[in-house]
Amino acid sequence: MRILILSDIHGNLDALKTILDSERYDAVWFLGDLTDYGPEPHMVLDTLRDLRPEVWVMGNHDYANAHGVDCGCGEKTHDLSVYTRENITQKLLTKEDLEFLKSIPLYREIRMDARDFYFVHGCPADPLYGYMFDFMPECMRNEIGGMIHTDILLFGHTHFPVRGIKENVEYFNPGSVGQPRDGDPRASYGIYDGEFHLRRIKYPVDRVVRKLENLVERRDYLERLKSILLKGKV
């Protein structure tokens, strides 16, 4: 089986569709954050629901929209998050969409290929807000402080792809589909076919920029959003 691994789409339908049209896959795992920053969160949600991911976990931005709370995201982009949430995401998602977001779990565990897989957006100790740019043993705890034992850990949230093995745990972050921030503006995603593979693909970013120009009235915010998309970094 060939599994497509996606995370942090952030309303960028063009990046998502480019991946889906170019890649061969039998199933999908989604690690959270389909909303905010981008122009088409409603269409990203519809596309994901049509895909019926076998694994889907809650992202901090999706939780913020579903429950009307702050995203708890990084200081450098927090104001962009609030602005796009209030002026794009909340205007385009229906009440039914928000109820659906509320139903998404904070984490998932499955067993496959004789191995245990743990899926989360941030990190096990802090599923929504914990940043893990590389493996951090202190993050391998549950909400009551107990140790989490798994063979494979999949996570997102940082917008930086990473793959490694430490303390007998194989870990993988596919990076961000719609908001890469590692200096490479191409959409980032992963493939699992018994092994993990990081992938990058160029998509029509100019099309996303034009859509934002029609939605974002604040020129300073628009220029920052465009810069992130075009440069792949904050």
Side-chain angles (χ1 to χ4, degrees):
M1 178 177 284
R2 185 178 174 89
I3 300 171
L4 178 63
I5 310 170
L6 307 171
S7 190
D8 296 280
I9 303 171
H10 287 295
N12 192 333
L13 182 67
D14 291 285
L16 175 60
K17 288 186 68 176
T18 298
I19 293 171
L20 297 179
D21 291 344
S22 304
E23 191 57 73
R24 176 177 58 83
Y25 56 92
D26 304 299
V28 175
W29 293 340
F30 178 54
L31 304 177
D33 271 0
L34 67 96
T35 57
D36 297 344
Y37 300 122
E40 296 174 305
H42 57 315
M43 297 181 72
V44 169
L45 178 55
D46 288 344
T47 301
L48 284 173
R49 282 190 290 208
D50 288 343
L51 289 171
R52 297 185 179 182
E54 291 192 348
V55 170
W56 188 332
V57 295
M58 178 77 81
N60 59 305
H61 287 266
D62 304 333
Y63 189 89
N65 278 288
H67 296 279
V69 299
D70 189 73
C71 65
C73 54
E75 182 179 342
K76 290 183 178 180
T77 58
H78 184 267
D79 56 344
L80 295 178
S81 168
V82 173
Y83 180 88
T84 55
R85 183 158 54 256
E86 293 178 349
N87 293 278
I88 299 177
T89 306
Q90 287 288 319
K91 291 182 178 180
L92 293 174
L93 295 187
T94 66
K95 290 182 179 179
E96 291 76 17
D97 291 336
L98 297 177
E99 286 300 315
F100 175 82
L101 291 182
K102 289 179 182 178
S103 72
I104 300 170
L106 290 177
Y107 67 92
R108 284 283 311 278
E109 295 177 89
I110 66 172
R111 187 164 179 80
M112 186 176 72
D113 297 338
R115 296 191 289 179
D116 293 321
F117 290 68
Y118 193 103
F119 304 83
V120 69
H121 181 65
C123 70
D126 192 352
L128 291 176
Y129 310 115
Y131 286 95
M132 193 160 63
F133 287 92
D134 206 332
F135 187 82
M136 298 168 61
E138 62 269 29
C139 287
M140 297 302 292
R141 295 185 177 274
N142 61 25
E143 61 273 13
I144 60 173
M147 288 298 299
I148 289 173
H149 300 283
T150 189
D151 298 307
I152 298 174
L153 174 66
L154 291 99
F155 58 100
H157 191 43
T158 65
H159 298 218
F160 280 69
V162 66
R163 177 190 175 192
I165 300 176
K166 190 171 184 179
E167 297 189 3
N168 296 318
V169 177
E170 185 171 6
Y171 57 96
F172 186 80
N173 183 332
S176 174
V177 171
Q179 278 265 313
R181 295 177 185 171
D182 62 335
D184 185 341
R186 295 175 298 167
S188 184
Y189 64 100
I191 292 291
Y192 177 74
D193 57 7
E195 296 182 354
F196 288 98
H197 310 274
L198 288 168
R199 295 283 186 264
R200 304 301 287 247
I201 190 168
K202 188 176 181 180
Y203 71 93
V205 65
D206 55 319
R207 192 179 302 166
V208 186
V209 168
R210 289 196 298 270
K211 292 172 182 176
L212 284 172
E213 288 173 341
N214 291 326
L215 293 170
V216 178
E217 295 182 357
R218 280 196 54 164
R219 177 59 56 177
D220 54 339
Y221 284 178
L222 174 62
E223 291 305 313
R224 287 168 60 199
L225 288 166
K226 288 167 59 175
S227 177
I228 292 171
L229 290 171
L230 294 169
K231 297 179 181 180
K233 60 182 179 180
V234 175

